[in-house]
Amino acid sequence: MTRRIKPILAALLLLPFSTPAAQAAGGAHVIDDASVETPGHCHLESWLASNPKGPDALNLNPGCTFTALPRLELGATFQHQGGAAPDTSFGPALKLTLRPVETGLGIALSGNAVWSDRNDRLETASVLLPLSLQPADGLQINVNAGWLYNRAGKQETAGFIGAQLDQDLGHDLALMLEGFARGGGRPGAQMGLRWTPGGGVIDIDLLTGWRTDGTTARTHTIGLTWRI
């Protein structure tokens, strides 16, 4: 979720990068939390990841929560992938808070569907149940479980489960660690730091991951989120 500096955002979005189809309201993180955007506000999540063995891709995930529907976040997914077979994919994304995180146990229901322009077909989809716990001051645990559809995968449909630790380190920094598995495949993991300068409207993520899309050995990611 992002902040003031439009030139910085534009510069990041113009850089080439490779990224997995991450399942996350928190930008490039694979694991989602149970919170929606603050009612009456919107955000734009963008991220780039280096993958030496894969094509470059650009990801943009806008989302808004309206005051009339304070528990529902309406969003979208856009990805442009380069390489030998360039493709642009896009689709809707929704998240509904069933129980606010402030109660001690946050529960949400999220889903998305992504259409490939090049193949003219539904490429991926998901339905997930994000849970969020706050067992200690400055610590949040997020757990996801659900169903994934991937037309190009070895299994078109598969279950998904994963967990994330989000620890506040002070000085506007947070440490985020996550692990996940898709339907019997090899598990993946990702870790990194999130910097929110002045506790404001911009988040900057620096991440490194293993099999974040289920197959890619290693990725290094930078993400930028702007909230308005």
Side-chain angles (χ1 to χ4, degrees):
M1 301 172 189
T2 321
R3 302 192 180 159
R4 22 167 205 145
I5 311 174
K6 292 185 180 179
I8 292 179
L9 177 64
L12 282 172
L13 298 186
L14 289 172
L15 290 173
F17 56 94
S18 158
T19 177
Q23 198 57 237
H29 291 93
V30 176
I31 302 301
D32 202 357
D33 61 24
S35 298
V36 296
E37 183 56 87
T38 304
H41 292 267
C42 296
H43 64 250
L44 176 62
E45 300 170 343
S46 63
W47 66 92
L48 59 91
S50 63
N51 168 18
K53 296 185 179 180
D56 295 337
L58 168 66
N59 287 259
L60 299 174
N61 288 7
C64 293
T65 299
F66 300 100
T67 52
L69 298 168
R71 292 194 174 192
L72 178 64
E73 180 178 303
L74 302 174
T77 297
F78 299 93
Q79 182 184 84
H80 179 72
Q81 181 173 288
D87 188 21
T88 298
S89 54
F90 51 88
L94 301 172
K95 182 159 67 166
L96 176 66
T97 293
L98 304 176
R99 180 185 171 98
V101 175
E102 293 74 22
T103 63
L105 173 61
I107 305 174
L109 183 65
S110 68
N112 77 347
V114 178
W115 186 268
S116 165
D117 182 61
R118 180 172 66 88
N119 297 322
D120 195 24
R121 68 188 189 191
L122 180 68
E123 207 66 42
T124 65
S126 70
V127 177
L128 294 174
L129 187 71
L131 307 176
S132 294
L133 298 165
Q134 295 178 331
D137 218 17
L139 173 64
Q140 181 162 301
I141 300 173
N142 302 312
V143 177
N144 289 184
W147 167 88
L148 303 179
Y149 168 80
N150 183 355
R151 179 138 187 181
K154 292 181 179 179
Q155 293 179 272
E156 279 199 355
T157 61
F160 176 86
I161 190 166
Q164 179 190 78
L165 297 179
D166 182 349
Q167 176 66 59
D168 182 8
L169 301 178
H171 306 288
D172 302 326
L173 284 174
L175 174 65
M176 305 178 85
L177 309 171
E178 57 186 9
F180 34 84
R182 297 168 173 85
R186 298 179 67 189
Q190 190 166 227
M191 63 180 294
L193 294 173
R194 169 169 288 177
W195 180 40
T196 306
V201 296
I202 288 177
D203 295 332
I204 299 172
D205 292 308
L206 296 174
L207 304 167
T208 186
W210 303 265
R211 291 186 294 278
T212 53
D213 60 355
T215 57
T216 305
R218 189 72 174 261
T219 56
H220 302 289
T221 303
I222 181 169
L224 178 64
T225 301
W226 183 12
R227 294 176 291 274
I228 56 173

